[in-house]
Amino acid sequence: MQDILGNYNKHRFLIGVILNSAFICIEVFYGLQANSVALLADALHNASDVLGLCLAWFSYVIAQRQATRRFTYGFKNATIFAAFINSLILIFAIANLLWESFARLLNPEPVVAITVIWIALLGVLINGTTALLFAQGREKDLNIFSIFLNMTLDTLLSAGIVIGGAFILWKKWVFIDPGLGIIIGLTIIYSVWKLFKESLDLIMQAVPSSVDLNAVIADIENNPAIIAYHDLHIWALSTTETALSVHVITAPENFSPAITMHLADVLREKHNIQHATIQLEVADGRDNCLAC
């Protein structure tokens, strides 16, 4: 978690919030001036992105707090809840976007196309810059991935609005504006589903998608000193840290702390599982958990 809270990461959160907050104000103002539902819809989505940025940032600050006697794991799972809340905010924003877009599609209104084009071009620049800010670390952190995904999507959607504005300017097809709003909403639904599902899985303590359970089991079973194992559990402590607990059984002549030390090293280096609790048991001939 230290890397997420380093100066570089604090700066990119701050820059992302400032850039996108300023753009929201510009987009709302000129969206109303141009009577463009596509710009207003994009502003709504950008507002949800800013809220998501703030939630992720705040969750990392909370996660940095030391563990207490009551919260012995600390507060790292705040990052998981931030990702889940962010997905719910996006879903709510999409519902409003689609409602307004369908209403405008049924009753098209004139749009100032040239204003739409210039503001959307500004959106391409700002959203693209923010996406690049969060390109680093997106493979290892669900929150960073969601921010990068949303900003990349925003860049593409702003480019789509530019194209739509050009068609309105050229062909006077005003239905393109609410049509783009619908396309934006449907595209966001597709992209946000993974964030919603994975954050919900982590809340329910499912095995994180970054961990290959079969590969973990294979590494345990392939250890020649381990006869069997049982009570294997893998869960997320945060969007970046994974925990594991397992009981491994060995023959009396092989009983040694070196077994757990070696297995912990394998889990950390091959599977990025930083918190492994391994209980070493001796096979005593009884029909206990050997069948597991």
Side-chain angles (χ1 to χ4, degrees):
M1 195 61 65
Q2 287 79 7
D3 178 62
I4 292 298
L5 292 169
N7 287 331
Y8 167 72
N9 296 285
K10 290 178 181 177
H11 290 159
R12 64 176 173 174
F13 272 105
L14 181 60
I15 293 170
V17 169
I18 292 173
L19 281 177
N20 285 272
S21 296
F23 181 58
I24 289 168
C25 296
I26 295 171
E27 206 167 22
V28 169
F29 177 80
Y30 284 102
L32 292 172
Q33 294 293 315
N35 198 28
S36 171
V37 70
L39 284 182
L40 293 174
D42 196 50
L44 177 64
H45 179 52
N46 274 299
S48 68
D49 285 344
V50 170
L51 184 54
L53 276 167
C54 293
L55 277 172
W57 192 358
F58 180 70
S59 73
Y60 291 130
V61 173
I62 294 296
Q64 196 179 23
R65 295 179 59 187
Q66 294 295 320
T68 67
R69 299 183 71 175
R70 183 177 182 187
F71 296 95
T72 54
Y73 269 125
F75 302 89
K76 297 175 182 179
N77 62 352
T79 59
I80 298 174
F81 283 96
F84 179 69
I85 294 171
N86 191 18
S87 69
L88 293 181
I89 292 171
L90 285 170
I91 291 171
F92 178 77
I94 292 165
N96 281 277
L97 161 60
L98 291 175
W99 179 271
E100 179 62 29
S101 296
F102 276 115
R104 184 66 71 88
L105 189 62
L106 295 174
N107 298 285
E109 297 181 13
V111 175
V112 183
I114 193 66
T115 302
V116 171
I117 293 172
W118 281 111
I119 298 303
L121 282 172
L122 180 62
V124 171
L125 176 62
I126 291 178
N127 291 322
T129 300
T130 308
L132 289 175
L133 282 173
F134 289 92
Q136 181 179 329
R138 66 186 185 277
E139 303 90 354
K140 300 178 181 179
D141 190 325
L142 185 60
N143 270 312
I144 300 298
F145 170 76
S146 69
I147 294 169
F148 174 78
L149 178 66
N150 285 337
M151 292 304 170
T152 302
L153 177 63
D154 283 352
T155 305
L156 297 174
L157 293 177
S158 292
I161 294 174
V162 172
I163 296 171
F167 270 97
I168 295 172
L169 192 63
W170 177 35
K171 292 289 189 179
K172 309 300 180 185
W173 292 345
V174 293
F175 64 85
I176 287 181
D177 186 68
L180 284 170
I182 294 172
I183 293 172
I184 291 172
L186 295 178
T187 307
I188 297 169
I189 287 176
Y190 177 80
S191 65
V192 79
W193 175 249
K194 179 179 180 180
L195 173 63
F196 173 77
K197 182 179 181 299
E198 187 161 354
S199 60
L200 184 60
D201 285 346
L202 295 185
I203 289 175
M204 299 301 294
Q205 296 188 324
V207 177
S209 61
S210 59
V211 176
D212 186 340
L213 178 59
N214 291 328
V216 171
I217 292 174
D219 282 330
I220 295 173
E221 293 179 337
N222 291 337
N223 189 314
I226 296 176
I227 299 174
Y229 71 93
H230 62 95
D231 291 321
L232 171 63
H233 304 286
I234 305 174
W235 69 101
L237 293 177
S238 71
T239 54
T240 59
E241 297 181 73
T242 304
L244 173 147
S245 66
V246 66
H247 294 229
V248 295
I249 303 172
T250 184
E253 62 272 17
N254 292 329
F255 185 85
S256 169
I259 296 174
T260 59
M261 294 173 63
H262 172 71
L263 184 56
D265 289 340
V266 170
L267 293 171
R268 182 175 57 255
E269 294 169 7
K270 291 184 60 176
H271 305 285
N272 196 31
I273 297 176
Q274 306 90 343
H275 301 271
T277 302
I278 304 166
Q279 180 168 322
L280 186 61
E281 300 175 356
V282 178
D284 56 9
R286 293 180 297 175
D287 185 19
N288 43 23
C289 287
L290 291 180
C292 300

